[in-house]
Amino acid sequence: MGGAAGRKALIVDDEADLRLVLGEFLREEGWSVLEAGDGDDALWQAISKHPDVIILDVTMRDREDGFRVYRELRGDRRTEHIPVIFLTAVNELELGTPHTEATVAERFGVPEPEAFLSKPFDMGEVQAALARIFGE
């Protein structure tokens, strides 16, 4: 992933272990990594630290609504342009197959995210999503 140098990713997930593993992978790929364990911190970091991409868990444990965070990101001129990769366990979303960016958007009435990854995922899927987003 040659174009990652100088880019920042914000990982938003209430699972510290997932943030750690995903963060290590992205750092190895040349990314700077920011982390947030809840929606309020995610919004603050998105506005103040200007990440190039946000990887957002939409079903966080403490009933934090990742879709609320996503709607706020898309509704704010300071953050509306930042690509978002949805990350979640598909069974939590109760979607029919296939699980795509469009089905998530339709089911929850939100704009289509740039990518959607189902837990568990492998790092190749993360790499492929980033390559699509950044045209690499």
Side-chain angles (χ1 to χ4, degrees):
M1 183 170 285
R7 288 192 179 143
K8 282 187 280 191
L10 171 58
I11 303 168
V12 184
D13 198 302
D14 60 344
E15 295 179 38
D17 290 347
L18 186 134
R19 292 193 315 267
L20 176 69
V21 170
L22 187 52
E24 285 179 6
F25 170 77
L26 291 172
R27 286 182 190 96
E28 288 173 5
E29 294 292 311
W31 288 82
S32 295
V33 176
L34 307 166
E35 296 182 20
D38 64 59
D40 291 336
D41 188 26
L43 290 167
W44 179 83
Q45 289 197 57
I47 291 167
S48 65
K49 301 197 178 185
H50 315 287
D52 297 291
V53 68
I54 298 171
I55 302 173
L56 174 64
D57 180 8
V58 294
T59 54
M60 290 183 264
R61 186 176 316 123
D62 62 352
R63 305 195 62 75
E64 176 67 48
D65 182 7
F67 291 107
R68 175 192 64 88
V69 172
Y70 183 63
R71 285 183 187 100
E72 289 190 38
L73 289 168
R74 288 297 184 244
D76 189 315
R77 63 174 175 71
R78 298 168 294 180
T79 58
E80 66 187 2
H81 65 282
I82 302 171
V84 175
I85 298 173
F86 277 179
L87 179 65
T88 197
V90 174
N91 61 350
E92 293 173 3
L93 294 178
E94 299 174 357
L95 296 174
T97 56
H99 309 297
T100 67
E101 293 81 4
T103 59
V104 171
E106 182 179 328
R107 167 75 168 83
F108 291 97
V110 296
E112 200 171 299
E114 282 71 21
F116 172 77
L117 299 179
S118 303
K119 292 179 185 177
F121 59 89
D122 65 50
M123 294 308 167
E125 292 174 286
V126 175
Q127 196 170 35
L130 292 168
R132 278 193 317 274
I133 290 168
F134 293 101
E136 298 171 356

